[in-house]
Amino acid sequence: MCADARFVLFPQFLERKFNDMSEEIEIKDEVLDLKVTDKYDENQIQVLEGLEAVRKRPGMYIGSTSARGLHHLVYEIVDNSIDEALAGYCTHIEVTIEKGDIIRVADNGRGIPCGIHPQMGIPTLEVVLTVLHAGGKFDGSGYKVSGGLHGVGSSVVNALSDWLEAEVRDGHTKHYMRFERGVTTVKMRDTPCESETGTTIRFHADPEIFETTIYEYDVLEKRLREQAFLNAGLKITLRDERDDEPVEEVMHYEGGIRQFVEHLNRTKTPLHENVIYMEGSRDTSMAEVAMQYTDSYSELMLSFANNINTTEGGTHETGFKAALTRVLNDYGKKYKLLKDDESFKGEDAREGLTAIISVKLQEAQFEGQTKTKLGNSEMRALVDAMVSEKLMTFFEENPQVARTIIEKAQTAARAREAAKKAREMTRRKSALDSASLPGKLADCTERDPSKCEIFIVEGDSAGGSAKNGRDRNFQAILPLRGKILNVEKTRLDKILANAEIKAMITAFGAGVGDDFNPEKLRYHRIVCMTDADVDGSHIRILLLTFFYRYMRPLIDGGYVYVAQPPLFKIVKNKKEHYVYSDEELAAYLDEIGRGNDVTVQRYKGLGEMSAEQLWETTMDPSRRIMKRVKLEDAVSADAMFNLLMGDKVEPRREFITENANLVENLDI
């Protein structure tokens, strides 16, 4: 496969191509003079009026000005419509990508209030769209439950758009306003309308702010589908009108998070037919849980608070985990399925589990502005009590399902004990104890992990070239013999018996599985350097599968890289030039000509290169091209790993058939 096509297998990984990972920057020896000589008086104090602060520091409000921040604009507007759904008024949200990457979000909720605001003296719609920290979610009277609590969402979108139009229908009158870069350009215009109600927001992201203003349909679809699952009965329509033939997807799930779990398990084999569903409430808070066990060896748990994905968990996750483990132990001992000295740990209880935890509460407290971890202590008690009671009742009423889950956990517990013994064999006595390092490892002399990198190479031939060509001060080489074990199809105890995997674990020095500690890593750049062919791609995918399942912090922390060796060497007049793709080759040949004095060599393997060539093209920090592996969507990643590396053949065959046209230069 060509360099770019090889990565089509895992589109949820963001690969950033760059030269010199350490980015060689000129460092001066002198100390920077921070003394300010200008006069410091009242003239230096700037007051950013209106939405100027947002345009000045957009990253503070939407995270970044990259594609991620661009899509966040859509989420902000959609979230307001979803809050209307939670309040019991909105039943349908339409999101349209119009030609020119204009976004249109329309709902059939109550509509943003348009009367004159008593405090500001201008239409309330204008207040909502031009004043920070203005919203109906502060006192809890307008909305009992909401994801947005700061009152900045709509105004931020307005500030970061080169234009925005708002239309509000209140059942009698249609109100219209227009803004440019946060400034009102068309005052409120009123026209009669029939009985319809709702809000429509149209905007175009400001190209002066964002690196790109082109939306990705798939990114929006994933987010909107997730929201449709979380809000049972809500219909969300996504329409893309940018091409001549519009694309439309209607997402409507009466089953809510039950269907969400079924969707996540579509490529897995469930151990029980029906999804287990529980719900409960206390005071102004409610919680619901949907769960199903599969024959997988990994768990997938997603938690949400007021429809916000709490990727770092929080109190609701803690309550669920504690209750689940306790119920399995209590039920197993009550019915003599467990021996007196036998008990499950949390990881045993959750092996093969797919679970969705969704809570709704009036005063959500998130740890940090990113809203990735729920901090409300009362939610732990609510979820714990609900799951303890209702899951035990379910087991009592469905003893066969309970027995199946208990047996799954027992097998996991036995594997855990075996893995514990195997893990001890992989642990190094100390970070500097070279005697315990694998024999095939050619280590570097540097001991500062932030300066060290290790190349995982395919075979002894490439390993020999890499060892001879490297800079031994900071570059370590670990050759692997053949393809490592497919970890998607086996448990940790068997995985740790694999010699190649053991060598990696020992070399990295940070442990494996739940014991993995990135602070103990001996190398902060782990580079997969494989051949530019099908076998090399397969080995790389096997490595990524292992890292994702058992060393996830490596990917989350940005420690994993993929080396990109050149595909071609062009020689003309004894001058050598390397290119990394077919496109680069064509462009370079157009530049120098295609005469008889030009020779082109295609590299099929790293072993074809001399040590000097490998250093010059692939390992030299000043010239190499690398890709950092990053995780954009954990749900998609889990599904993709399971699809491509799991036991089910038919879904994999369908995927290959659908995507075969994307592959170029396949080596057969």
Side-chain angles (χ1 to χ4, degrees), residues 42-59:
E42 63 278 3
N43 296 310
Q44 271 67 52
I45 304 299
Q46 292 185 16
V47 178
L48 300 178
E49 297 181 359
L51 299 177
E52 289 181 57
V54 181
R55 294 184 59 82
K56 194 81 171 175
R57 298 285 187 268

Side-chain angles (χ1 to χ4, degrees), residues 458-466 479 606-609:
E458 174 189 353
D460 292 333
S461 176
S465 296
L606 298 174
E608 296 180 17
M609 295 186 187

Side-chain angles (χ1 to χ4, degrees), residues 245-259:
E245 294 185 11
V247 178
E248 184 175 290
E249 183 80 21
V250 179
M251 292 155 275
H252 185 215
Y253 307 104
E254 292 291 350
I257 62 172
R258 294 184 186 90
Q259 285 182 262

Side-chain angles (χ1 to χ4, degrees), residues 86 180 199 271 289 300 304 308 361 387 429 448 514 538 547 602:
L86 291 172
E180 293 180 8
T199 301
L271 296 182
V289 171
L300 176 60
F304 300 85
I308 295 168
L361 63 164
V387 173
K429 296 175 184 177
D448 181 354
D514 290 341
H538 190 201
F547 295 155
R602 188 182 191 280

Side-chain angles (χ1 to χ4, degrees), residues 283-533:
D283 299 326
T284 58
S285 303
M286 62 89 64
E288 55 177 342
V289 171
M291 52 182 281
Q292 187 180 42
Y293 283 87
T294 70
D295 62 357
S296 170
Y297 301 128
S298 56
E299 67 176 91
L300 176 60
M301 186 183 307
L302 301 177
S303 62
F304 300 85
N306 293 354
N307 294 325
I308 295 168
N309 188 354
T310 45
T311 53
E312 294 184 54
T315 51
H316 51 337
E317 260 193 40
T318 304
F320 171 76
K321 289 177 178 179
L324 176 67
T325 307
R326 185 171 58 253
V327 169
L328 261 62
N329 279 311
D330 290 350
Y331 185 89
K333 289 175 180 177
K334 180 179 179 180
Y335 292 97
K336 310 297 183 187
L337 301 175
L338 294 178
K339 298 176 182 177
D340 292 337
D341 61 341
E342 190 179 5
S343 65
F344 299 132
K345 291 192 174 182
E347 59 192 279
D348 308 329
R350 297 191 302 273
E351 184 185 274
L353 174 67
T354 301
I356 306 291
I357 307 154
S358 178
V359 299
K360 307 272 176 45
L361 63 164
Q362 194 163 4
E363 295 290 339
Q365 299 168 11
F366 297 99
E367 297 182 9
Q369 177 61 28
T370 55
K371 300 180 183 178
T372 55
K373 189 174 184 180
L374 185 67
N376 297 69
S377 58
E378 70 273 15
M379 297 314 299
R380 173 173 180 170
L382 170 57
V383 175
D384 191 320
M386 181 195 74
V387 173
S388 294
E389 176 188 341
K390 301 205 171 186
L391 187 58
M392 181 61 80
T393 302
F394 177 87
F395 283 172
E396 297 278 4
E397 296 173 352
N398 300 270
Q400 189 53 54
V401 175
R403 184 177 291 273
T404 300
I405 294 171
I406 294 288
E407 289 173 355
K408 171 77 168 173
Q410 283 177 314
T411 309
R414 287 192 288 270
R416 171 174 53 79
E417 289 298 323
K420 183 179 178 182
K421 295 175 182 177
R423 195 156 32 219
E424 293 296 328
M425 301 296 293
T426 65
R427 284 202 180 108
R428 298 178 52 209
K429 296 175 184 177
S430 77
L432 302 177
D433 184 9
S434 60
S436 61
L437 289 171
K440 295 187 291 184
L441 174 69
D443 206 2
C444 56
T445 57
E446 177 63 57
R447 291 303 177 210
D448 181 354
S450 65
K451 300 177 181 177
C452 297
E453 54 192 40
I454 183 170
F455 288 82
I456 312 296
V457 299
E458 174 189 353
D460 292 333
S461 176
S465 296
K467 286 177 183 178
N468 293 327
R470 66 176 176 141
D471 186 332
R472 62 183 62 246
N473 291 316
F474 68 98
Q475 292 179 324
I477 309 295
L478 180 64
L480 299 180
R481 182 174 297 174
K483 296 175 181 178
I484 70 166
L485 192 68
N486 180 2
V487 302
E488 194 71 16
K489 295 182 179 182
T490 189
R491 282 194 174 91
L492 185 56
D493 57 320
K494 299 289 178 61
I495 293 168
L496 295 179
N498 181 272
E500 307 305 309
I501 289 179
K502 280 170 63 176
M504 280 193 292
I505 297 169
T506 307
F508 297 170
V512 67
D514 290 341
D515 292 339
F516 187 84
N517 183 0
E519 293 181 2
K520 295 182 178 180
L521 266 177
R522 299 183 65 246
Y523 315 94
H524 281 190
R525 288 183 291 276
I526 296 170
V527 186
C528 303
M529 189 164 69
T530 58
D531 291 345
D533 58 11

Side-chain angles (χ1 to χ4, degrees), residues 31 36 88 130 185 235-236 293 320 372 401 488 517 524 539 619 648:
V31 177
V36 177
T130 60
T185 56
K235 181 166 58 172
I236 301 178
Y293 283 87
F320 171 76
T372 55
V401 175
E488 194 71 16
N517 183 0
H524 281 190
I539 292 171
M619 300 179 72
K648 281 194 172 183

Side-chain angles (χ1 to χ4, degrees), residues 51 55 158-163 179-183 206-208:
L51 299 177
R55 294 184 59 82
N158 192 16
L160 301 179
S161 302
D162 53 4
W163 60 265
F179 309 84
E180 293 180 8
R181 296 186 168 90
V183 178
D206 193 344
E208 294 181 7

Side-chain angles (χ1 to χ4, degrees), residues 64-259:
S64 75
T65 55
S66 63
R68 182 192 291 267
L70 176 74
H71 291 81
H72 191 83
L73 297 183
V74 185
Y75 307 154
E76 286 285 2
I77 302 300
V78 171
D79 285 351
N80 289 333
S81 297
I82 288 173
D83 287 340
E84 274 293 284
L86 291 172
Y89 295 95
C90 173
T91 59
H92 187 196
I93 302 170
E94 295 178 285
V95 181
T96 306
I97 313 172
E98 300 178 0
K99 291 185 183 296
D101 283 279
I102 296 166
I103 294 292
R104 179 180 182 271
V105 180
D107 67 51
N108 63 348
R110 291 171 292 183
I112 300 172
C114 291
I116 300 299
H117 192 270
Q119 184 180 343
M120 304 294 294
I122 57 176
T124 304
L125 175 61
E126 187 171 0
V127 174
V128 169
L129 290 168
T130 60
V131 179
L132 288 177
H133 307 293
K137 302 160 188 177
F138 295 110
D139 63 2
S141 60
Y143 295 90
K144 289 184 178 180
V145 170
S146 168
L149 300 174
H150 302 130
V152 300
S154 298
S155 55
V156 165
V157 175
N158 192 16
L160 301 179
S161 302
D162 53 4
W163 60 265
L164 181 145
E165 296 175 338
E167 179 188 287
V168 179
R169 303 166 298 281
D170 62 10
H172 308 285
T173 306
K174 185 184 295 182
H175 309 276
Y176 171 85
M177 294 192 75
R178 180 180 170 92
F179 309 84
E180 293 180 8
R181 296 186 168 90
V183 178
T184 306
T185 56
V186 177
K187 295 287 186 181
M188 178 128 5
R189 292 179 182 171
D190 296 343
T191 54
C193 73
E194 297 180 359
S195 59
E196 60 188 278
T197 63
T199 301
T200 299
I201 301 290
R202 281 181 82 240
F203 66 91
H204 182 264
D206 193 344
E208 294 181 7
I209 298 289
F210 293 94
E211 299 166 15
T212 177
T213 57
I214 300 173
Y215 295 91
E216 294 182 38
Y217 181 88
D218 292 344
V219 172
L220 292 177
E221 186 207 13
K222 287 174 185 174
R223 170 69 179 238
L224 296 177
R225 189 179 302 280
E226 186 178 87
Q227 295 300 316
F229 278 127
L230 291 168
N231 298 276
L234 174 64
K235 181 166 58 172
I236 301 178
T237 302
L238 174 62
R239 184 175 173 85
D240 190 346
E241 298 179 346
R242 291 174 295 184
D243 294 332
D244 293 336
E245 294 185 11
V247 178
E248 184 175 290
E249 183 80 21
V250 179
M251 292 155 275
H252 185 215
Y253 307 104
E254 292 291 350
I257 62 172
R258 294 184 186 90
Q259 285 182 262

